[in-house]
Amino acid sequence: MNMIKKRVLIGCAALALASATLLAGAQERSVKNCKGQANEQDCRQSKMAEFQAKHEAKLHDALKITAAQEPAWKTFTDSMRPPAPTAPPEKLSRADYEKLSAPERMEKHIAMQQKHLEHAQARLAALKTFYAVLTPEQQTTMNKEVARMEQHRQGGKGPWGHGGHWGDKSDQAPPPPAK
């Protein structure tokens, strides 16, 4: 009799867990899927803002930010957000882009890269300012978090897509034997 109660209890627990998992998965899919919505771009931006807020909260908790560090934290997190567009970006149609000469195309690419570089430099300045107010323990946590984010951005690879860590080539095939 006791064995039957245990099996029923285990079965109910498994059923509850499975239904909770399915429900959570359905909600997650509905949140992530912006295709077909009236304003897909706004949907994506709101999802990204939601993700970023969760990530910032997790990092804030991991770093154990003190009240004295809050202003630096706020400045840092604000700088990490993409700048609000002041004017709609200049977009060329595919036909207009194809009419450009090779040097003109290269100029367009360089202009875009310069905008990205300026934003990255502003983020670096904010990171340095924030990093300076952290304790050594917090700096260690921040170093680990940044390394984890870099690895995540590279699809599990290290910086610039090479190996798992700096200089770690364990996931690469050995070089062919010399002939």
Side-chain angles (χ1 to χ4, degrees):
M1 184 75 164
N2 196 14
M3 189 68 133
I4 293 173
K5 285 182 182 179
K6 282 184 183 179
R7 286 186 180 174
V8 169
L9 185 61
I10 290 172
C12 289
L15 184 60
L17 182 61
S19 62
T21 303
L22 288 175
L23 181 62
Q27 287 174 341
E28 187 174 314
R29 282 189 294 280
S30 69
V31 166
K32 286 185 177 181
N33 190 4
C34 292
K35 290 195 187 276
Q37 291 191 11
N39 198 338
E40 195 173 316
Q41 184 66 24
D42 286 345
C43 178
R44 285 186 185 152
Q45 287 175 345
S46 70
K47 302 299 179 218
M48 185 55 116
E50 223 175 272
F51 171 79
Q52 189 168 6
K54 286 180 185 176
H55 177 73
E56 286 173 3
K58 183 179 173 185
L59 182 59
H60 185 278
D61 293 345
L63 290 173
K64 299 174 185 152
I65 300 297
T66 65
Q69 294 170 326
E70 275 304 324
W73 168 257
K74 175 87 171 107
T75 303
F76 168 69
T77 55
D78 288 347
S79 74
M80 292 296 130
R81 291 187 181 91
T86 53
E90 178 190 342
K91 293 218 177 191
L92 293 175
S93 68
R94 182 176 291 272
D96 289 340
Y97 185 78
E98 289 173 354
K99 290 177 187 174
L100 294 176
S101 67
E104 291 171 329
R105 288 181 185 189
M106 182 65 85
E107 286 172 350
K108 294 276 185 198
H109 288 282
I110 290 172
M112 182 59 72
Q113 289 173 343
Q114 285 174 335
K115 286 181 186 177
H116 288 292
L117 179 60
E118 289 168 6
H119 185 63
Q121 288 171 330
R123 289 185 353 237
L124 173 61
L127 175 62
K128 284 182 175 181
T129 302
F130 176 62
Y131 196 81
V133 301
L134 297 177
T135 65
E137 296 84 21
Q138 289 172 319
Q139 288 177 349
T140 301
T141 301
M142 187 70 172
N143 292 341
K144 289 177 183 176
E145 181 63 20
V146 169
R148 188 191 66 76
M149 287 187 308
E150 286 174 347
Q151 192 170 11
H152 177 73
R153 260 188 248 122
Q154 298 300 326
K157 297 180 180 179
W160 304 289
H162 301 287
H165 296 282
W166 294 93
D168 177 18
K169 299 185 188 324
S170 60
D171 64 338
Q172 297 177 358
K179 293 182 180 179

